[in-house]
Amino acid sequence: MKKRTLLMIPGPIEFEPAVLSAMGEPTSSHVDPEFIDAFGQALERLREITGSTDGQPFVLAGSGTLAMDTAGANLVERGDQALVISTGFFGTRFAAILERYGAEVTTLTAQPGGLPDLNEIEAELRRKAYKVVTITQVDTSTGVLADVASIARLGRQYGALVIVDGVCSVAGEELRMSDWDIDVVLTASQKAVGVPPGLALLVASKRAIDAFQARKSPVANYYADWGNWLPIMQAYEARRPSYFATPAVNLVSALNVSLGQILAEGVDQRVHRHKAMSQACKAAMQALGLGQVPQDPAIAAHTMTAPRYPGELADRPAFLKRVAQEGVVIAGGLHPAIKNEYFRIGHMGTTKIGDVLATVGAIESALNESGYQIEPGSGVAAAAAAYQAS
Ligand code: PMP
């Protein structure tokens, strides 16, 4: 039988044909005028999709972790105080990265599925002079959506640089870098940005660049050093050739195609579509009697859903395999404390209602085959109804 699977994990995702064909074009020189133009345009578009008016975009070959690493390497010096607002696995990772560059890190950690409360964050900001505050907008290990606008406001009020990990949110959740006065928005190509894995993306505020330029010690990461990349990004945007390290030519061309599609759809409209997909998926899980990891629907991401397994479901790996046999790939748990208690569905980028319905249908069959009896079609009906109402 023809192998045709629908990839519904929280990244990488399904990609648009035009993006994939840009990947397959003959590779040009990194100083070819057409490529310079595509790179320059991709930088302008990256600024636009993050809601930045005057930020400095960076596009580097690497993954989201390199984007986090780059923010840490350039903005933190030994002995700096850093506050990590953690809603899961990727908050823990940010703390480890900042510590590696010598920061003294305080982490405010929520229970899995929760969000540290704003009063607690403010009390901590009052206690010490933090140089940076990090927030994960959507922690992919819990599906929790942080209130970035409010946390950023607090961070800025106390004079910290605010760094947002938007790997599972940029181009899928509302994020307004300039309006919310954020200093770094970072992401990766393979999620709502809609490009195969391989690009680390950042936009840095003028204040972040000034802080980098005022460093007393050299950046302890040669590749990620903004001193190496700043002139290169500026040159591409000015449509001039330049070189520090070879850019991922095909990925950058594909990025420009995808960002063009995102802007053609409209970022606000795209955020609205992600909400509609999310409501459909979450309504289906509720109709099937499955709880969710986020403790409150108000803090649940719109780019993914993290349903809890029903208690009766004993063989969870077999359930995931059964869903895959139905032609849909979803993901298991990631947060170490609750890893075997839940699974994850991504609905980002190109996802349409038909994809959500197919996914819910596959989950229904797998639940029934796994001995958890549900009314066939009840989840699908709930998803369709929620979609119609959205
Ligand atoms: N932050 C978040 C919120 C993520 O979801 C991920 C990837 N799942 C990362 C950081 C790390 O990105 P990558 O796997 O591309 O290195």
Side-chain angles (χ1 to χ4, degrees):
M1 220 189 289
K2 186 164 176 258
K3 189 171 184 300
R4 193 166 59 90
T5 49
L6 180 60
L7 187 57
M8 296 293 284
I9 65 173
I13 62 164
E14 295 278 333
F15 300 113
E16 289 285 354
V19 171
L20 293 175
S21 51
M23 296 281 300
E25 289 283 309
T27 304
S28 68
S29 158
H30 58 287
V31 290
D32 179 283
E34 250 182 64
F35 176 69
I36 292 175
D37 200 41
F39 202 153
Q41 192 172 38
L43 292 167
E44 291 157 2
R45 288 172 165 175
L46 178 59
R47 184 183 292 114
E48 195 172 342
I49 66 147
T50 53
S52 166
T53 49
D54 59 354
Q56 174 59 54
F58 294 87
V59 173
L60 309 182
S63 76
T65 305
L66 179 73
M68 298 166 80
D69 205 25
T70 301
N74 285 282
L75 292 178
V76 156
E77 291 185 74
R78 192 150 293 283
D80 284 343
Q81 300 291 336
L83 179 61
V84 172
I85 313 297
S86 177
T87 47
F89 183 90
F90 291 101
T92 308
R93 174 168 297 184
F94 227 147
I97 289 171
L98 298 175
E99 262 163 19
R100 187 65 67 89
Y101 292 112
E104 288 174 22
V105 178
T106 303
T107 306
L108 288 181
T109 309
Q111 289 297 315
L115 187 62
D117 120 347
L118 287 177
N119 294 327
E120 191 191 349
I121 297 172
E122 180 157 19
E124 191 50 53
L125 284 165
R126 222 183 261 133
R127 218 167 60 78
K128 270 189 211 163
Y130 284 103
K131 177 165 179 200
V132 300
V133 173
T134 74
I135 319 159
T136 316
Q137 188 171 19
V138 172
D139 198 301
T140 321
S141 71
T142 53
V144 168
L145 172 68
D147 177 359
V148 168
S150 301
I151 299 171
R153 194 178 311 120
L154 274 181
R156 291 294 314 127
Q157 195 181 319
Y158 287 87
L161 294 168
V162 174
I163 303 173
V164 176
D165 172 350
V167 174
C168 195
S169 64
V170 169
E173 301 281 0
E174 183 185 11
L175 181 63
R176 302 186 184 279
M177 181 166 175
S178 291
D179 290 351
W180 298 352
D181 208 15
I182 296 166
D183 292 293
V184 175
V185 168
L186 64 92
T187 189
S189 50
Q190 74 271 18
K191 303 202 193 206
V193 169
V195 178
L199 292 177
L201 311 171
L202 286 93
V203 182
S205 70
K206 185 162 181 317
R207 195 168 40 233
I209 298 291
D210 288 348
F212 155 73
Q213 281 167 340
R215 289 178 65 95
K216 295 187 190 70
S217 56
V219 172
N221 180 323
Y222 183 74
Y223 181 80
D225 188 339
W226 283 347
N228 290 324
W229 286 114
L230 199 51
I232 307 303
M233 297 301 141
Q234 288 167 341
Y236 274 111
E237 223 181 318
R239 309 303 196 260
R240 279 188 280 107
S242 66
Y243 167 76
F244 162 60
T246 308
V249 171
N250 292 57
L251 278 166
V252 172
S253 302
L255 175 69
N256 192 37
V257 171
S258 189
L259 294 176
Q261 290 179 341
I262 292 168
L263 290 171
E265 180 178 8
V267 176
D268 290 346
Q269 174 55 32
R270 190 174 173 91
V271 167
H272 178 76
R273 182 166 56 78
H274 280 73
K275 281 191 178 148
M277 296 308 132
S278 171
Q279 278 158 12
C281 188
K282 288 171 177 64
M285 294 306 114
Q286 194 180 358
L288 296 173
L290 274 55
Q292 280 165 49
V293 173
Q295 284 164 0
D296 182 330
I299 59 163
H302 305 104
T303 48
M304 61 173 289
T305 299
R308 288 188 169 276
Y309 289 114
E312 305 90 301
L313 199 80
D315 192 348
R316 291 157 185 199
F319 163 77
L320 292 177
K321 262 197 213 132
R322 286 186 173 119
V323 178
Q325 277 158 6
E326 298 291 335
V328 179
V329 180
I330 58 173
L334 177 63
H335 193 298
I338 53 169
K339 200 171 174 356
N340 298 316
E341 296 173 18
Y342 72 111
F343 60 98
R344 298 176 300 148
I345 306 163
H347 28 75
M348 280 178 253
T350 73
T351 305
K352 294 180 185 58
I353 187 63
D355 302 325
V356 175
L357 297 179
T359 305
V360 174
I363 289 171
E364 284 187 357
S365 306
L367 285 173
N368 266 333
E369 283 168 34
S370 307
Y372 175 74
Q373 295 310 320
I374 50 115
E375 181 65 36
S378 53
V380 171
Y387 180 66
Q388 288 226 316
S390 68

